[in-house]
Amino acid sequence: MLMTELLHPGILEALAGAGHGARVLLADGHYPASTATDPRARTVHLNLAPGLLDVTTVLDVLLRALPLESAHVMVPPEGEPEPPVIVEYRSMLAPVPVETLGRFAFYDAARSPDLALVVVTADIRTYANLLLTIGVRAEGTLRTP
């Protein structure tokens, strides 16, 4: 029996095989996951119906399961306001740096060979995509019996 609240076997398997510098894409329901990701990455579909299971919910669980080094968000074209979801991510991820990428630069980053996991959600918010970079585990965080 696992001591973590993260129980999804596919996500656990992908994270167990990932290391420092590997990336995890949390994709909204609009993201072209079949064409704008590295084909070697493990893809997990959690998009049962529109709005059921969003990126924020998945991020909340992942934040307790792995260390993060940085994050990237997809932003709209210049001149358009930053979506509220990005403000939410910055708050949840602090003090992890959150950098912005335009749509096509974000797609290119998600095609990186460092992409270990894609979690496709049913998030209906636009620009709710989040690309996480796994960090290193701090000393003293191992549980011992």
Side-chain angles (χ1 to χ4, degrees), residues 6-131:
L6 178 56
L7 299 176
H8 191 284
I11 293 174
L12 286 169
E13 179 183 14
L15 293 178
H20 179 226
R23 291 182 164 182
V24 175
L25 172 62
L26 305 182
D28 66 26
H30 312 286
Y31 194 85
S34 65
T35 59
T37 59
D38 187 271
R40 293 170 292 195
R42 170 74 181 252
T43 300
V44 173
H45 293 275
L46 300 179
N47 50 342
L48 179 64
L52 289 181
L53 203 60
D54 60 15
V55 170
T56 302
T57 303
V58 176
L59 176 61
D60 186 50
V61 174
L62 289 182
L63 285 174
R64 292 187 293 280
L66 58 104
L68 295 180
E69 180 175 284
S70 64
H72 288 83
V73 291
M74 181 191 292
V75 292
E78 193 171 318
E80 291 186 31
E82 186 173 84
V85 69
I86 295 175
V87 174
E88 180 181 338
Y89 294 160
R90 289 183 197 284
S91 174
M92 290 178 73
L93 290 164
V96 172
V98 178
E99 299 176 36
T100 61
L101 293 171
R103 178 178 163 204
F104 295 105
F106 191 95
Y107 291 164
D108 288 343
R111 288 185 182 106
S112 162
D114 291 331
L115 188 67
L117 172 64
V118 179
V119 179
V120 180
T121 72
D123 204 323
I124 58 174
R125 299 173 292 180
T126 56
Y127 297 99
N129 304 296
L130 186 58
L131 186 60

Side-chain angles (χ1 to χ4, degrees), residues 124-144:
I124 58 174
R125 299 173 292 180
T126 56
Y127 297 99
N129 304 296
L130 186 58
L131 186 60
L132 306 170
T133 301
I134 298 173
V136 295
R137 183 181 209 150
E139 286 188 48
T141 58
L142 271 179
R143 288 189 196 177
T144 56

